[in-house]
């Protein structure tokens, strides 16, 4: 009895275990069928975690597209193209479920437009039957391939960004090169043997003035004629045209490049100071604010351009040699005395300069003879001899030429000498009986066939021309005399200062007494003188 009972129990347990095993087998079969169906539907077991069990709605698709396209439109378009070709994405049916697809295209303007971005929106509308709006899922390969593609996409994105950055850098470099190279390429130099000083004045309000009066903060009240009340401005619009060639187009950046790490110094009287102010205005127009400065110490005024390590300087020495008029502030002395053979006191300030521009003339014109000191100012000597103006002038320029030959290295320094700057005191000189000195003149003398004598001392012109042509160190003689004699309209006249003060309305009404027909308005004639300097500087270097 007992064994049979045990057998029954064993048999019942075995039956129960068998039933459980059968149930497990059924579950395994069903689960396998389910997985198989899923696998067949998805075609990739490893992507099941990423499979979209819930179908996305149209708004989510639009948001995804918008986010992707805002990130990198070119990369998104490329990715879609790859997916369409390689993975069999049914883009037509997917886009068909959307009534509108908004695509933002970001375009970058050129560097000249300050890298502004412009957004253009393109709207594409596609009709689709109501009964066919299902979105087919995008088939994706395994995780390794997906990660590889994502990695490649990131690499491609980084590569494209790197290319864009390199292109921008190249564009900036090219732009900077164009600024400099363009200056070199666009400038046509005149033949070296062309006479720049024989020609005519041509009205040209397109290229002249070369700068604007109110844009040059360094002009003094002595020369700002428009600011001081002058109404006509045509005097600013005349361009000098040489007879047999052309002056090169003025480019301030080109001149600054030639002056990089160099010193340009004007030495002489108030006419050379007039020309120095002109040169400062010519170069400062392209120098940023805060990168330029003007300092005056004694006889020396220095305009510095920081970014080019360049200076444009003026040194006050109205006779070049030592005189009792050497004080740059207190020099209104009627009894002018010079030391014709004494130049070293001034000359020590001219050494190691790359471009030297000398002149001396106007201070010789108030008397017919010159007073030459016996002895020295340092010893307190006061006795002097009076000699003829041309004799004294020749002695001074002989002393100057010896200093240049001894102290100037022509391999480093270029020397210029400006000829006599004329006065326009008598309107009868240009056949205007109704004129009052230069006060009422608004146009140049255009009839060059007429005989013109405005009182220039041609003897001094001859001396300076002869001496400069026979020096050991080459000197460029800037012959401004005749072309300036035609410019009766360009003087400061009554639109200036006198002894540091602006002329009063009563003084302006009396041009016969107060008109300044020696100095020149700026912008104006001295700009042309500097065009000659500019031509020689860019030609030499």
């Amino acid at each position: 009895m007992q064994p049979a009972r045990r057998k029954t129990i064993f048999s019942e347990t075995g039956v129960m275990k068998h039933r459980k095993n059968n149930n497990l087998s059924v579950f395994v079969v069903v689960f396998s069928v389910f997985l198989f169906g899923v696998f067949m539907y998805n075609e990739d077991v490893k992507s099941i975690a990423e499979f979209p069990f819930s179908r996305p709605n149209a708004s989510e698709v639009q948001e995804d597209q918008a986010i992707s396209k805002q990130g990198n439109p070119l990369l998104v378009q490329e990715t879609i193209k790859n997916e369409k070709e390689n993975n069999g994405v049914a883009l037509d049916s997917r886009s068909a479920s959307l009534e509108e697809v908004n695509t933002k295209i970001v375009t970058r303007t050129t560097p000249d437009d300050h890298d502004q971005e412009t957004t253009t929106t393109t709207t594409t509308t596609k009709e689709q039957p109501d009964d066919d709006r299902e979105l087919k899922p995008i088939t994706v390969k395994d995780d390794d391939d997906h990660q590889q593609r994502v990695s490649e996409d990131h690499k491609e994105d980084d590569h494209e960004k790197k290319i864009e950055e390199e292109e921008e850098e190249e564009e900036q470099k090219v732009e900077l090169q164009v600024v400099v190279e363009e200056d070199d390429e666009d400038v046509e130099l005149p033949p070296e043997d062309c006479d720049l000083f024989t020609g005519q004045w041509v009205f040209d309000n397109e290229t002249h003035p070369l700068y604007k009066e109110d844009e040059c903060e360094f002009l003094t009240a002595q020369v700002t004629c428009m600011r001081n009340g002058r109404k006509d401005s045509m005097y600013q619009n005349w361009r000098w045209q040489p007879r047999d060639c052309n002056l090169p187009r003025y480019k301030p950046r080109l001149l600054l490049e030639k002056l990089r790490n160099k010193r340009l110094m004007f030495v002489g009287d108030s006419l050379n100071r007039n020309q120095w102010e002109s040169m400062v205005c010519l170069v400062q127009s392209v120098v940023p604010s805060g990168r330029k400065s003007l300092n005056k110490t004694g006889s020396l005024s220095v305009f510095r351009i920081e970014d080019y390590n360049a200076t444009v300087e003026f040194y006050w020495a109205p006779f070049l040699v030592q005189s009792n008029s050497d004080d740059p502030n207190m020099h209104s002395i009627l009894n002018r005395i010079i030391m014709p053979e004494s130049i070293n006191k001034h000359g020590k300030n001219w050494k190691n300069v790359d471009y030297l521009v000398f002149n001396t003339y106007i201070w010789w014109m108030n008397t017919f003879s010159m007073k030459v000191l016996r002895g020295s100012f340092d010893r307190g000597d006061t006795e002097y001899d009076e000699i003829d103006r041309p004799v004294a002038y020749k002695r001074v320029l002989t002393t100057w030429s010896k200093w240049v030959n001894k102290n100037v290295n022509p391999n480093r320094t270029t020397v210029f000498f400006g000829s006599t700057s004329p006065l326009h005191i008598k309107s009868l000189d240009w056949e205007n009986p109704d004129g009052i000195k230069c006060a009422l003149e608004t146009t140049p003398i255009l009839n060059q066939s007429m005989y013109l004598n405005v009182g220039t001392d041609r003897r001094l012109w001859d001396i300076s021309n002869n001496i400069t042509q026979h020096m050991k160190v080459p000197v460029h003689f800037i012959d401004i005399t005749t072309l300036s004699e035609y410019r009766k309209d360009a003087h400061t006249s009554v639109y200036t200062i006198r002894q540091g003060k602006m002329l009063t309305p009563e003084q302006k009404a009396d041009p016969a007494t107060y008109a300044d027909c020696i100095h020149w308005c700026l912008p104006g004639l001295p700009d042309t003188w500097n065009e000659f300097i500019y031509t020689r500087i860019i030609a030499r270097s």
Side-chain angles (χ1 to χ4, degrees):
M1 295 295 292
Q2 193 71 18
R5 184 179 180 90
R6 290 176 180 172
K7 184 177 181 181
T8 303
I9 294 173
F10 177 80
S11 299
E12 290 175 356
T13 304
V15 171
M16 291 174 64
K17 181 183 287 189
H18 180 69
R19 287 177 181 174
K20 289 180 180 180
N21 290 337
N22 288 342
N23 292 338
L24 180 62
S25 299
V26 171
F27 176 78
V28 169
V29 171
V30 173
F31 184 74
S32 300
V33 171
F34 172 77
L35 287 180
F36 179 77
V38 171
F39 294 163
M40 291 297 292
Y41 183 78
N42 195 46
E43 297 182 358
D44 196 341
V45 65
K46 294 183 179 181
S47 64
I48 192 169
E50 299 175 0
F51 183 77
F53 289 101
S54 62
R55 183 179 293 112
N57 55 39
S59 63
E60 293 174 342
V61 174
Q62 286 180 333
E63 290 177 359
D64 291 340
Q65 286 184 338
I67 293 173
S68 300
K69 291 177 181 178
Q70 287 175 355
N72 191 333
L74 295 176
L75 183 58
V76 170
Q77 292 174 6
E78 186 66 22
T79 304
I80 292 175
K81 183 178 179 181
N82 292 338
E83 290 175 346
K84 182 177 180 180
E85 292 177 353
N86 301 329
N87 302 323
V89 179
L91 292 179
D92 290 339
S93 63
R94 181 172 183 175
S95 60
S97 67
L98 304 177
E99 294 182 359
E100 290 188 356
V101 177
N102 294 325
T103 304
K104 289 187 178 180
I105 304 172
V106 179
T107 58
R108 185 174 294 277
T109 60
T110 62
D112 291 338
D113 296 323
H114 309 292
D115 289 342
Q116 294 177 346
E117 290 186 352
T118 305
T119 302
T120 305
T121 302
T122 303
T123 302
T124 305
T125 304
K126 186 172 181 179
E127 296 294 334
Q128 187 78 0
D130 293 337
D131 56 352
D132 188 17
R133 291 183 179 271
E134 284 192 13
L135 295 179
K136 294 182 180 180
I138 298 176
T139 58
V140 186
K141 292 187 178 182
D142 59 22
D143 282 347
D144 293 337
D145 292 340
H146 175 73
Q147 292 176 359
Q148 182 178 1
R149 187 175 69 252
V150 172
S151 177
E152 290 176 354
D153 289 344
H154 284 302
K155 289 181 180 179
E156 185 179 359
D157 190 11
D158 294 339
H159 182 64
E160 289 185 0
K161 288 182 179 179
K162 185 176 181 180
I163 292 177
E164 290 179 359
E165 291 175 356
E166 290 177 353
E167 288 179 351
E168 289 180 2
E169 290 177 0
E170 287 298 323
E171 288 176 358
Q172 292 175 355
K173 290 179 180 178
V174 169
E175 187 177 1
L176 291 174
Q177 291 174 357
V178 166
V179 170
V180 177
E181 293 175 0
E182 179 181 69
D183 288 334
D184 288 327
E185 293 172 359
D186 289 352
V187 170
E188 181 179 351
L189 295 173
E192 193 166 340
D193 59 348
C194 181
D195 179 9
L196 302 179
F197 313 112
T198 300
Q200 62 181 344
W201 288 103
V202 178
F203 184 79
D204 180 0
N205 59 0
E206 294 185 359
T207 65
H208 285 62
L210 298 175
Y211 57 89
K212 295 181 179 179
E213 177 187 300
D214 57 359
E215 293 178 357
C216 184
E217 60 186 288
F218 302 100
L219 289 176
T220 62
Q222 183 182 29
V223 298
T224 51
C225 299
M226 298 293 292
R227 188 185 306 163
N228 297 341
R230 183 165 179 171
K231 302 302 181 184
D232 66 295
S233 61
M234 284 180 59
Y235 67 91
Q236 299 180 355
N237 303 126
W238 294 92
R239 173 176 57 82
W240 179 250
Q241 176 60 55
R243 181 184 60 193
D244 300 322
C245 58
N246 296 316
L247 289 172
R249 184 156 61 98
Y250 175 69
K251 292 198 167 187
R253 284 190 177 88
L254 175 58
L255 179 56
L256 283 172
E257 280 298 329
K258 303 303 182 183
L259 294 178
R260 186 182 291 278
N261 300 320
K262 291 182 170 59
R263 297 173 64 192
L264 166 61
M265 180 184 286
F266 293 82
V267 180
D269 55 30
S270 55
L271 271 305
N272 236 21
R273 185 179 61 208
N274 207 169
Q275 187 175 355
W276 167 72
E277 288 192 50
S278 162
M279 182 62 81
V280 169
C281 291
L282 286 171
V283 298
Q284 72 88 34
S285 61
V286 293
V287 180
S289 177
R291 307 301 298 168
K292 50 194 173 184
S293 61
L294 176 61
N295 294 294
K296 297 181 179 181
T297 305
S299 298
L300 185 64
S301 300
V302 180
F303 177 74
R304 181 175 298 278
I305 306 105
E306 298 294 339
D307 295 333
Y308 291 85
N309 190 32
T311 58
V312 180
E313 308 173 33
F314 170 69
Y315 184 87
W316 173 261
F319 294 101
L320 298 182
V321 295
Q322 195 171 351
S323 75
N324 64 347
S325 303
D326 290 341
D327 189 312
N329 301 313
M330 302 292 294
H331 49 250
S332 298
I333 300 173
L334 296 178
N335 193 30
R336 298 170 182 175
I337 305 173
I338 64 173
M339 295 176 60
E341 282 71 44
S342 179
I343 198 171
N344 290 331
K345 182 178 179 180
H346 295 317
K348 64 183 180 182
N349 298 282
W350 312 336
K351 294 181 179 181
N352 301 318
V353 175
D354 301 278
Y355 298 101
L356 284 166
V357 185
F358 294 96
N359 95 311
T360 179
Y361 172 72
I362 197 63
W363 281 60
W364 296 78
M365 296 302 293
N366 66 328
T367 58
F368 289 102
S369 62
M370 292 299 298
K371 298 177 175 62
V372 176
L373 184 69
R374 296 178 185 174
S376 170
F377 292 116
D378 296 334
R379 295 197 303 262
D381 298 328
T382 57
E383 293 185 0
Y384 56 83
D385 297 318
E386 291 198 30
I387 60 176
D388 289 341
R389 182 196 298 161
V391 174
Y393 193 80
K394 185 174 182 179
R395 284 175 62 179
V396 166
L397 287 198
T398 299
T399 300
W400 166 82
S401 66
K402 290 179 179 179
W403 184 93
V404 171
N405 287 334
K406 180 180 179 181
N407 294 279
V408 169
N409 177 7
N411 294 324
R412 170 181 176 173
T413 303
T414 302
V415 182
F416 301 90
F417 192 93
S419 70
T420 55
S421 175
L423 294 71
H424 293 88
I425 303 299
K426 301 176 182 178
S427 62
L428 287 176
D429 291 341
W430 52 91
E431 300 179 355
N432 181 11
D434 298 325
I436 306 174
K437 300 173 71 173
C438 64
L440 304 178
E441 305 299 332
T442 58
T443 58
I445 299 170
L446 300 177
N447 181 13
Q448 297 185 15
S449 62
M450 66 177 287
Y451 173 77
L452 184 62
N453 182 4
V454 294
T456 302
D457 191 338
R458 288 284 175 172
R459 299 173 300 174
L460 305 192
W461 185 97
D462 291 336
I463 292 170
S464 60
N465 183 48
N466 290 335
I467 289 179
T468 55
Q469 299 306 310
H470 295 89
M471 292 173 59
K472 180 180 68 175
V473 173
V475 176
H476 296 283
F477 187 70
I478 307 300
D479 186 7
I480 64 171
T481 304
T482 300
L483 64 90
S484 300
E485 287 180 335
Y486 298 133
R487 296 304 308 274
K488 58 183 174 60
D489 61 311
H491 289 287
T492 55
S493 184
V494 294
Y495 308 103
T496 185
I497 60 176
R498 188 180 181 92
Q499 296 179 346
K501 297 180 180 180
M502 292 295 303
L503 295 184
T504 65
E506 292 76 19
Q507 290 173 327
K508 288 184 178 180
D510 184 11
T513 303
Y514 293 101
D516 180 352
C517 298
I518 298 173
H519 301 96
W520 310 90
C521 299
L522 291 178
L525 176 62
D527 302 330
T528 299
W529 304 349
N530 280 325
E531 287 189 83
F532 300 136
I533 302 292
Y534 163 77
T535 301
R536 296 304 181 192
I537 289 177
I538 64 174
R540 180 181 185 273
S541 53

